[in-house]
């Protein structure tokens, strides 16, 4: 087995949380256009549709706030498992929905799970990955999100040929499968070395680092050095900082907080998730009429998303975070410009 295998296995298993996030983003887009869905849920208008879509986001907001204290107290590993369990429950509620309220409740519960997973999975990946490959390991989470979106679009396309309520129930229920897989595979994954050291499980942290870095040789010099650095960092943080959200707004954390949150906000403010959710409406506006053709275009859209993430995974540790971010920003500007011009041309066509 390659020396890279343990870290890639751990990061890949945890990245299933990202796949669940992506699946939740993508699954409703084509379902909202299915005539059987519209008929079953009494033709939801723009307001009702907005509530169905945004209930996931509200749950994400609450789940992300709860995730940090849960991860610090109960461990990153257990919080990921909790997220997988909550996602299973939310998906089951959506699968069995008999009215809009039940569907919205299921979306909200799934949002809580996504809030847990989207916050804690990158944390877990970064703490189990070696410093020289940390960027690549964490970027697996984003790639898993794109795979989740692509799978959701593809499943929507396949289910669009089904006649009856299974056309929309099956895509909603299939999310149970990866959430259960994540729940049970995380049982086999190690705890974060940083969390173990923070809770004084030093020998356990040494053993985990040995498994992740040197095939179980916990006495190896590189393991001892990394353990020492982790311990020194935690001691320094405890002596100089307090763990609360208010401290994020104080010097010297204020600038880091605004920089990190600002980048995340602007990434969402570009409207990419909205575009993913309402792309079927855009496709319908430019002349596609059947749900099959719309779902197929969505699947192609998702595949492009998956492929476009690969360069960042391969070269982020070589290019650096900032240049990679700038390249992505320039691409977004150019492609949004092309999309706007195409839609303007279509609107002006006789």
């Amino acid at each position: 087995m390659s020396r890279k295998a343990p870290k890639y296995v751990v990061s890949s298993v945890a990245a299933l949380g990202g796949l669940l996030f992506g699946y939740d983003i993508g699954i409703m887009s084509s379902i909202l256009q299915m005539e059987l869905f519209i008929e079953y849920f009494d033709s939801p208008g723009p307001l009702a549709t907005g509530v169905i879509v945004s209930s996931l986001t509200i749950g994400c907001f609450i789940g992300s706030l709860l995730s940090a204290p849960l991860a610090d107290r109960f461990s990153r590993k257990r919080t990921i498992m909790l997220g997988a369990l909550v996602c299973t429950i939310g998906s089951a509620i959506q699968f069995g929905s008999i009215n809009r309220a039940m569907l919205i409740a299921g979306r909200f519960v799934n949002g809580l799970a996504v809030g847990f997973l989207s916050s804690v999975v990158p944390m877990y990946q970064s703490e189990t990955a070696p410093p020289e490959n940390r960027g690549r390991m964490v970027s697996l989470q984003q790639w898993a999100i794109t795979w989740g979106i692509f799978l959701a679009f593809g499943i929507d396309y396949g289910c669009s040929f089904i006649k009856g309520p299974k056309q929309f129930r099956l895509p909603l229920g299939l999310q149970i499968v990866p959430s259960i897989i994540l729940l049970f595979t995380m049982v086999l994954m190690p705890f974060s070395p940083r969390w173990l050291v923070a809770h004084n499980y030093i020998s356990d942290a040494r053993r985990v680092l040995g498994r992740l870095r040197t095939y179980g040789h916990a006495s190896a010099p590189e393991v001892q050095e990394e353990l020492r650095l982790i311990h020194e960092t935690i001691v320094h943080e405890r002596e100089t900082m307090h763990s609360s959200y208010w401290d994020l707004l104080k010097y010297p954390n204020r600038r880091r907080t605004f920089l990190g949150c600002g980048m995340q906000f602007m990434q969402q403010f570009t409207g990419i998730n909205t575009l993913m959710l309402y792309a079927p409406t855009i496709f319908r506006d430019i002349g596609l009429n059947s749900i099959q053709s719309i779902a197929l275009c969505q699947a192609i859209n998702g595949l492009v998303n998956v492929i476009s993430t690969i360069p960042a995974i391969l070269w982020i540790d070589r290019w650096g975070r900032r240049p990679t971010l700038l390249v992505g920003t320039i691409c977004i500007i150019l492609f949004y410009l092309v999309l706007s011009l195409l839609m303007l041309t279509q609107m002006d066509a006789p």
Side-chain angles (χ1 to χ4, degrees):
M1 182 182 290
S2 167
R3 286 178 64 88
K4 298 180 180 180
K7 62 186 179 186
Y8 278 109
V9 169
V10 172
S11 291
S12 298
V13 169
L16 283 173
L19 186 142
L20 294 174
F21 183 16
Y23 194 97
D24 258 326
I25 292 173
I27 199 61
M28 288 303 298
S29 58
S30 295
I31 287 179
L32 291 170
Q33 302 294 322
M34 293 179 177
E35 294 182 1
L36 290 171
F37 174 86
I38 295 171
E39 179 182 347
Y40 188 90
F41 289 100
D42 300 323
S43 302
L47 178 61
T49 299
V51 172
I52 292 171
V53 171
S54 62
S55 57
L56 177 77
T57 308
I58 296 171
C60 287
F61 178 76
I62 297 173
S64 62
L65 290 178
L66 296 174
S67 63
L70 287 174
D72 284 342
R73 181 170 183 179
F74 299 109
S75 81
R76 287 67 160 133
K77 172 180 173 176
R78 294 190 184 109
T79 306
I80 292 172
M81 293 173 66
L82 175 63
L85 178 61
V86 173
C87 186
T88 302
I89 295 171
S91 300
I93 294 173
Q94 291 181 77
F95 178 72
S97 296
I98 58 175
N99 52 45
R100 291 184 202 170
M102 194 171 175
L103 179 64
I104 292 169
R107 293 275 293 171
F108 175 79
V109 172
N110 266 33
L112 291 174
V114 168
F116 293 154
L117 296 171
S118 61
S119 300
V120 181
V121 167
M123 187 191 309
Y124 178 78
Q125 290 173 318
S126 66
E127 292 178 2
T128 55
E132 65 271 15
N133 294 120
R134 192 160 290 154
R136 182 177 296 179
M137 296 297 100
V138 176
S139 65
L140 289 176
Q141 159 83 346
Q142 178 59 38
W143 200 38
I145 292 173
T146 64
W147 271 106
I149 294 171
F150 172 59
L151 289 174
F153 289 165
I155 290 171
D156 277 347
Y157 173 67
C159 291
S160 66
F161 294 95
I162 299 175
K163 303 301 181 183
K166 289 182 181 179
Q167 184 185 71
F168 60 86
R169 291 197 185 278
L170 191 58
L172 293 173
L174 280 176
Q175 191 174 7
I176 294 174
V177 176
S179 62
I180 290 178
I181 293 174
L182 175 61
L183 176 62
F184 285 101
T185 52
M186 278 304 298
V187 174
L188 306 175
M189 297 299 106
F191 288 93
S192 157
R194 179 183 171 86
W195 182 86
L196 289 170
V197 172
H199 289 75
N200 295 318
Y201 298 117
I202 306 300
S203 60
D204 291 333
R206 184 181 296 108
R207 185 166 56 252
V208 168
L209 284 172
R211 287 174 56 193
L212 292 172
R213 306 286 188 266
T214 57
Y215 296 109
H217 300 297
S219 59
E222 56 264 44
V223 171
Q224 301 302 321
E225 176 63 15
E226 186 169 353
L227 184 65
R228 183 187 66 81
L229 291 174
I230 292 172
H231 185 266
E232 288 181 356
T233 301
I234 291 174
V235 170
H236 175 72
E237 290 176 353
R238 286 175 175 173
E239 291 175 349
T240 60
M241 301 179 188
H242 299 285
S243 181
S244 75
Y245 283 117
W246 287 113
D247 291 321
L248 297 177
L249 302 178
K250 300 176 183 178
Y251 180 84
N253 296 320
R254 187 189 305 115
R255 184 174 181 274
R256 300 172 187 170
T257 301
F258 285 131
L259 182 62
C261 292
M263 285 193 297
Q264 292 290 336
F265 173 81
M266 294 307 296
Q267 187 267 341
Q268 291 297 313
F269 198 61
T270 61
I272 184 60
N273 281 350
T274 302
L275 187 63
M276 288 289 185
L277 284 166
Y278 290 100
T281 303
I282 297 173
F283 292 142
R284 193 179 291 277
D285 289 343
I286 63 175
L288 298 178
N289 295 317
S290 70
I291 183 61
Q292 286 79 17
S293 60
I294 291 173
L296 179 59
C297 286
Q298 275 286 73
I300 296 172
N301 184 23
L303 181 60
V304 171
N305 195 20
V306 170
I307 295 172
S308 300
T309 311
I310 295 175
I313 295 174
L314 295 177
W315 297 308
I316 187 171
D317 288 315
R318 183 181 303 174
W319 292 352
R321 278 57 162 166
R322 186 170 179 270
T324 306
L325 183 65
L326 290 173
V327 170
T329 303
I330 293 170
C331 290
I332 289 174
I333 294 171
L334 293 176
F335 289 130
Y336 268 144
L337 179 61
V338 171
L339 178 62
S340 300
L341 292 174
L342 288 174
M343 293 187 67
L344 182 62
T345 303
Q346 183 65 28
M347 291 173 62
D348 292 339

